């Protein structure tokens, strides 16, 4: 079985000490950097934008997993590949022409991801799953770190896994929001491949150890 991945979300990092926190992730057992881009329209919060991401990718030594919580994401696909994004995830709810958006992301050489809000049903991906490299299931409502995990996520993972297997797709399942060492193993057992963790990693005194514990729990 392939290794399960951990993607710390820099949203919970200390923005005044970003380089320090990035170096910590570089040295850790984490697999990807998860980058949350919010526009204040799709979600009721604004995180950070292109100049900050440019500063971040000067120091990162692992793949960049960008989660766009923005309207009209098509406008910025080229921008994000130029900024060093390896995986570009858009929200299902923000895409009128999802199939076209996925092709545009892949045409730039990035992996294409689709994120679903907690209210968005898995069966809406019936006709696109074979075009999607990664589905990001939101286990909180997007917009803020530090919220509590929504338990219905487990049902959604199981439904998505069934869809992926039935369609013969090779899509990865990523979970984002309220992930910690209490639920990591259960999420993987339900079918997840990648776990995002923000507050649980960066609000701890020993983030390096926390990442190690998440990685161990996810692969136990
Ligand atoms: C929320 C973001 C998450 C967030 C997760 O909208 O998509 O990536 O950073 O934070 P925690 O792990 O604190 O729930
Ligand atoms: Zn995210």
């Amino acid at each position: 079985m392939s290794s399960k991945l951990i993607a710390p979300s820099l949203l919970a990092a200390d923005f005044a000490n970003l380089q320090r926190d990035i170096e910590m992730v570089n040295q850790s057992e984490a697999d990807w950097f998860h980058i949350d881009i919010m526009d204040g329209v799709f979600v009721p919060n604004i995180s950070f934008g292109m100049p900050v991401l440019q500063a971040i990718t000067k120091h990162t030594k692992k793949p960049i997993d960008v989660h766009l919580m923005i309207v009209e994401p098509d406008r910025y696909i080229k921008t994000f590949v130029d900024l060093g994004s390896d995986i570009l995830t858009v929200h299902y709810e923000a895409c009128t022409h999802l199939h076209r958006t996925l092709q545009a992301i892949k045409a730039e050489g990035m992996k294409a991801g689709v994120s679903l809000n907690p209210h968005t049903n898995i069966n809406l991906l019936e006709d696109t799953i074979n075009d999607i490299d990664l589905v990001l299931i939101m286990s909180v409502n997007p917009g803020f770190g530090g919220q509590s995990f929504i338990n219905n996520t487990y049902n959604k993972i199981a439904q998505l896994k069934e869809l992926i297997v039935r369609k013969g797709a090779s899509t990865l399942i990523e979970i984002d929001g309220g992930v910690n060492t209490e639920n990591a193993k259960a999420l993987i057992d339900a079918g997840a491949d990648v776990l995002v963790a923000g507050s649980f990693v960066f609000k701890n005194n020993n983030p390096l150890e926390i990442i190690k514990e998440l990685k161990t729990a996810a692969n136990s």
Side-chain angles (χ1 to χ4, degrees):
M1 202 169 65
S2 59
S3 154
K4 303 298 178 181
L5 310 181
I6 304 298
S9 165
L10 285 186
L11 185 65
D14 179 352
F15 289 168
N17 287 286
L18 258 183
Q19 186 179 353
R20 180 199 66 191
D21 287 356
I22 292 164
E23 298 296 357
M24 182 280 295
V25 176
N26 281 338
Q27 286 162 26
S28 77
E29 291 186 28
D31 299 279
W32 297 348
F33 283 88
H34 185 81
I35 306 289
D36 291 298
I37 305 287
M38 305 177 184
D39 66 355
V41 178
F42 181 71
V43 286
N45 195 12
I46 298 174
S47 54
F48 50 80
M50 289 76 173
V52 174
L53 182 54
Q54 192 170 27
I56 288 172
T57 53
K58 265 192 210 146
H59 303 285
T60 52
K61 297 197 172 78
K62 296 180 181 186
I64 305 296
D65 171 36
V66 173
H67 176 193
L68 293 182
M69 285 160 273
I70 66 173
V71 298
E72 299 185 40
D74 304 70
R75 293 170 60 190
Y76 299 104
I77 292 171
K78 183 81 176 72
T79 304
F80 281 99
V81 72
D82 290 345
L83 285 167
S85 172
D86 297 286
I87 302 144
L88 192 63
T89 295
V90 295
H91 263 265
Y92 179 90
E93 304 84 5
C95 293
T96 311
H97 300 284
L98 181 63
H99 184 270
R100 177 184 290 155
T101 304
L102 294 169
Q103 305 312 321
I105 293 171
K106 292 200 271 196
E108 295 292 348
M110 294 179 286
K111 299 281 185 201
V114 176
S115 183
L116 303 181
N117 278 338
H119 73 274
T120 304
N121 200 285
I122 297 295
N123 65 27
L124 294 164
L125 300 179
E126 274 278 337
D127 295 307
T128 43
I129 193 70
N130 293 96
D131 298 297
I132 304 174
D133 295 307
L134 174 149
V135 173
L136 172 54
I137 298 180
M138 286 307 305
S139 38
V140 298
N141 281 295
F144 303 91
Q147 304 179 82
S148 33
F149 180 88
I150 297 171
N151 263 307
N152 185 49
T153 304
Y154 292 108
N155 299 325
K156 294 181 79 167
I157 298 172
Q159 285 168 34
L160 177 57
K161 191 75 190 174
E162 187 277 325
L163 175 64
I164 290 168
V165 170
R166 176 160 52 84
K167 297 274 190 173
S170 48
T171 316
L172 293 177
I173 302 176
E174 184 174 28
I175 308 302
D176 187 5
V179 171
N180 54 43
T181 43
E182 300 282 298
N183 55 23
K185 182 168 164 38
L187 290 167
I188 297 293
D189 288 347
D193 303 291
V194 189
L195 303 179
V196 174
S199 321
F200 191 69
V201 168
F202 290 100
K203 305 301 178 204
N204 191 282
N205 289 333
N206 193 347
L208 212 53
E209 178 60 26
I210 289 290
I211 292 172
K212 187 188 178 69
E213 286 176 19
L214 283 169
K215 184 75 181 174
T216 304
N219 288 281
S220 60

